[in-house]
Amino acid sequence: MSNIAIIGGSGLSKLPGLEIINKIDMDTPWGKPSAPITVTKFHGIEVLFLPRHGNPHTIPPHKVNYRANLWALHENNISEIIAVNAVGGITETMTPCRIVIPDQLIDYTHSRPDSFHEENLSEVKHIDFTQPYSDSLRQQLIDAAAISELDIVSTGTYAVTQGPRLETTAEVIRLEKDGNDIVGMTSMPEASLARELEIDYACCGLVVNWAAGKSDEIITMEIIENNLREGMGQIQTLISTFIKNKE
Ligand code: HPA
C-alpha cells in the first residue's frame, strides 16, 4: 500500500468526508517544514497534507524550505506525492480554471538549495530526471479526471521560474519558444528532491491567470485569487476520486 501526501493548496484539507487525525510538528536536518503536517483519513486511507506556503500562507515560492518539506514527508514513510501548483497559462488550451497534469518541466530557478547530495558524500550521485513526473501517478490522476468528468489537459511542459515577481511579456514569449505550456514558481526543486528520495511525484497544476502578455489584462492578485477559488472545487473533486480509487 502506498502512503500518500498532498503538498500545497489551502482548501484541500477540507475535503468532504475527510477526518483530521493528528498534526505532526517536526524538525529535519534541513530545518523546519513550512508547517506542521496534517494527518487525515479519507475513506479509510491515510493522507498527509503539507501546505507549501505555510499556514497562514506567508512563505513566498523562492523562500520555501523544499528540502525540509520533502525530508519531513520521507521521514513519515510517504511513497507518493500529489503536488498542487497554481500556474499561469501560456499556450492556447491552458485557460484559466483548467487543471493541467504536466509531463515535463524546464527549470529556470536559481539560488534555491536544490539537493540532499551536497556535502560529506561517499560518492557523487546523479538522479535520472528524463521524466520528471511519475507516469503512473499522472495516469491515476488522468483516470480520476475522466471518472469525475473533469475537462483537464493531460500533458504539458511546466516552466519553473524564480519569482516572486511574475514574468515580462518578452520572457513569456521566450518561455513559449522554449516549448513551455504553463508557468509557475514551485515545481522545482520539489520534483527533483522527491526523485532523490525515490518518492513518486506528480503535479496537478491549476491555471489561475493568463501568463504575462497573453491577455490584455494586467495580472492582479484579485484575478489569481478568484480563479484559485473557482478552480479549487475541481481540484478537490479530482483528488477525492484519485484517493477513492486507491480503496
Ligand atoms: N507566472 C508564474 N507563476 C505563477 C503565475 C504566472 O503567471 N500564475 C501563478 N503562478
Side-chain angles (χ1 to χ4, degrees):
M1 183 70 199
S2 51
N3 294 322
I4 310 164
I6 316 278
I7 300 183
S10 53
L12 280 175
S13 51
K14 296 186 191 96
L15 294 182
L18 187 129
E19 196 191 337
I20 296 187
I21 306 287
N22 191 12
K23 292 233 178 199
I24 307 171
D25 190 1
M26 62 184 289
D27 217 336
T28 78
W30 314 95
K32 267 188 115 47
S34 299
I37 296 170
T38 308
V39 182
T40 68
K41 269 243 157 91
F42 186 67
H43 290 264
I45 296 170
E46 189 171 276
V47 182
L48 270 48
F49 284 92
L50 179 56
R52 183 188 290 113
H53 300 282
N55 191 9
H57 184 127
T58 50
I59 310 169
H62 63 303
K63 292 290 184 190
V64 170
N65 189 338
Y66 294 95
R67 289 194 296 194
N69 286 352
L70 272 289
W71 196 266
L73 295 176
H74 176 63
E75 288 273 287
N76 281 285
N77 300 315
I78 287 303
S79 54
E80 295 187 346
I81 294 175
I82 303 296
V84 179
N85 308 72
V87 296
I90 299 177
T91 48
E92 215 178 331
T93 54
M94 307 295 167
T95 52
C97 295
R98 210 132 191 229
I99 293 176
V100 187
I101 314 293
D103 58 332
Q104 278 296 330
L105 64 80
I106 301 181
D107 185 8
Y108 299 90
T109 66
H110 54 81
S111 329
R112 298 183 181 188
D114 62 359
S115 177
F116 296 113
H117 303 148
E118 281 183 351
E119 282 168 47
N120 306 318
L121 302 177
S122 53
E123 57 175 350
V124 174
K125 278 205 176 167
H126 301 285
I127 51 161
D128 175 77
F129 207 45
T130 313
Q131 301 293 342
Y133 302 110
S134 156
D135 249 346
S136 148
L137 273 187
R138 287 188 52 255
Q139 198 51 55
Q140 291 172 52
L141 287 169
I142 294 163
D143 292 346
I147 292 167
S148 307
E149 298 182 359
L150 294 171
D151 180 23
I152 66 155
V153 183
S154 56
T155 55
T157 299
Y158 181 147
V160 195
T161 53
Q162 173 66 5
R165 68 166 177 84
L166 297 168
E167 297 69 38
T168 65
T169 299
E171 284 169 338
V172 171
I173 291 170
R174 188 185 76 161
L175 293 178
E176 187 164 9
K177 280 194 190 139
D178 281 358
N180 294 290
D181 297 291
I182 50 177
V183 54
M185 302 172 192
T186 45
S187 206
M188 283 297 285
E190 212 171 77
S192 56
L193 289 169
R195 183 63 53 82
E196 285 191 359
L197 295 171
E198 299 181 6
I199 300 174
D200 281 350
Y201 179 98
C203 161
C204 207
L206 176 66
V207 181
V208 293
N209 58 280
W210 279 112
K214 287 287 168 184
S215 84
D216 297 334
E217 277 180 331
I218 298 281
I219 307 166
T220 60
M221 284 309 291
E222 198 187 346
I223 292 178
I224 292 180
E225 278 160 13
N226 283 343
N227 288 329
L228 197 56
R229 219 170 297 123
E230 202 176 319
M232 199 43 76
Q234 288 182 65
I235 297 271
Q236 289 184 342
T237 304
L238 180 64
I239 291 191
S240 310
T241 310
F242 165 83
I243 298 169
K244 276 189 214 156
N245 280 353
K246 301 266 184 194
E247 274 179 280

